[in-house]
Amino acid sequence: MATLSLQHIDKIYDNKVQAVFDFNLDVKDGELIVLVGPSGCGKSTTLRMIAGLEDISAGKLFLDGKDITQTPAKDRDMAMVFQNYALYGHMTIYENMAFSLTLRKENPNVIHKKVLAAAEILGLTEQLNKKPGQLSGGQRQRVAMGRSIVRNPKVFLFDEPLSNLDAKLRGATRREILLLHKRLNATMLYVTHDQTEALTLADRIVCMSMGYVQQVGTPLELYDTPANLFVASFIGLPPMNFFKVHVQGNELVGTNLNVPITPEEQAILSDYSGKEIVLGVRPEDIVEGGTIPVKVFSNENLGMNTLVHGHLGNSKEVEAKITCKFRGWSDYKPGDFVNVSFVKKHFFDPETTNAIRGEK
């Protein structure tokens, strides 16, 4: 399909507000990249610059090695799928899917073959004579994808395509997009604020905040080795627990918290002896049994897992709040105590917010 290269891309609006800062990314042929982050972080603006719907204020954009920074959107050979479907209500599904090819004045026989092929891939063959208003939200989103497929573009761009769907349809359509990517082996960029979509769809994730790229990596890399406090807090559900602690010998000491650390962890934290750091622990990395007391204030049974919310020790301070995700069904009542231990720990510098790796 295609490779993309974004080199030092900035977006500055006429009112001098900067939405994207020094964005750099090389997208491999056939790769599915997901841009994720909270609303207003610059992810959709970046996608629109790639599509040619927004001007690039600074930097260069290359498609298959060719500079397309100033190339009009219609000449970029990219197809965009929007969250609002953007279908023509007076046209049939067939006519909607064929529309871009009809504008190009392609051979009607070629158009027919392409529309039927796309409809078969997306399970829309029986819907081709209907109007968009007769379809469900999930079906309309598949029509929008089908309209892109028939164009056979070099790059597919998805701008929060599932945000208008209910939870069940989101899951089903997400799986369809993943199967579509594998079947077409297409280069795709996908924008979402939903970390579940990012983790389940992406070959690599670009995590953004306040216009800056915070980390680029595989879903496992962002989950297992977050680059900073933002990535650690944004990726993972429920969110990671954070505690302010001091490094004191072979333990970390905080509010109602004494956590033993291994010799390897002491080596990682050697430059922080006697200093404050931020300790991060994912709820799923907390297990029952240990020396850390937690006073329960609520218990959520989810079937295979239980979320236990509490405070460290008997403290009610905000920094002492903790969420644990235990395997199986638990029946803790408010006021109960459970002793826990931390299976995996993450360390962060409180000033830079960057992860402490102990790397020299």
Side-chain angles (χ1 to χ4, degrees), residues 66-255:
K66 179 185 176 183
D67 186 347
I68 62 165
T69 309
Q70 303 298 329
T71 302
K74 64 183 179 63
D75 298 324
R76 294 194 180 192
D77 200 8
M78 299 180 185
M80 195 158 181
V81 179
F82 300 91
Q83 67 183 69
N84 62 357
Y85 320 133
L87 302 179
Y88 296 104
H90 65 287
M91 294 183 180
T92 65
I93 301 310
Y94 182 99
E95 290 167 338
N96 267 281
M97 291 174 64
F99 185 66
S100 62
L101 302 184
T102 304
L103 284 180
R104 291 184 192 171
K105 296 182 169 50
E106 286 207 20
N107 185 300
N109 291 329
V110 173
I111 293 175
H112 187 68
K113 288 179 181 178
K114 288 183 176 181
V115 170
L116 290 185
E120 184 177 353
I121 289 172
L122 295 167
L124 292 170
T125 305
E126 303 299 319
Q127 316 298 333
L128 290 176
N129 292 322
K130 295 181 180 179
K131 300 286 181 67
Q134 297 174 273
L135 304 186
S136 68
Q139 288 173 321
R140 289 199 292 270
Q141 193 55 275
R142 276 187 275 156
V143 175
M145 289 190 285
R147 187 176 52 193
S148 297
I149 292 170
V150 298
R151 291 179 53 190
N152 191 29
K154 286 189 173 184
V155 179
F156 288 84
L157 306 174
F158 294 86
D159 189 9
E160 306 215 36
L162 309 185
S163 59
N164 287 339
L165 306 180
D166 62 38
K168 185 176 180 180
L169 271 177
R170 275 202 305 271
T173 311
R174 186 173 67 237
R175 289 188 291 274
E176 288 174 358
I177 290 173
L178 194 57
L179 290 171
L180 179 65
H181 176 248
K182 293 184 183 301
R183 184 163 182 173
L184 299 178
N185 193 31
T187 304
M188 295 182 173
L189 283 89
Y190 186 106
V191 161
T192 182
H193 62 271
D194 186 330
Q195 57 156 303
T196 301
E197 289 178 29
L199 290 170
T200 54
L201 284 174
D203 292 322
R204 285 189 298 153
I205 295 173
V206 180
C207 188
M208 296 184 68
S209 174
M210 303 293 288
Y212 290 92
V213 174
Q214 301 295 315
Q215 187 173 0
V216 180
T218 66
L220 181 59
E221 286 170 343
L222 268 71
Y223 174 83
D224 212 34
T225 54
N228 54 41
L229 280 170
F230 175 81
V231 178
S233 63
F234 193 83
I235 300 294
L237 197 65
M240 186 182 286
N241 297 287
F242 297 107
F243 311 104
K244 292 180 180 179
V245 295
H246 281 84
V247 181
Q248 296 183 8
N250 62 353
E251 65 178 0
L252 305 175
V253 180
T255 303

Side-chain angles (χ1 to χ4, degrees), residues 317-334:
E317 297 180 43
V318 173
E319 61 264 31
K321 281 188 176 181
I322 185 170
T323 296
C324 314
K325 187 176 183 179
F326 297 147
R327 291 184 62 83
W329 192 277
S330 301
D331 286 316
Y332 292 109
K333 305 290 189 298

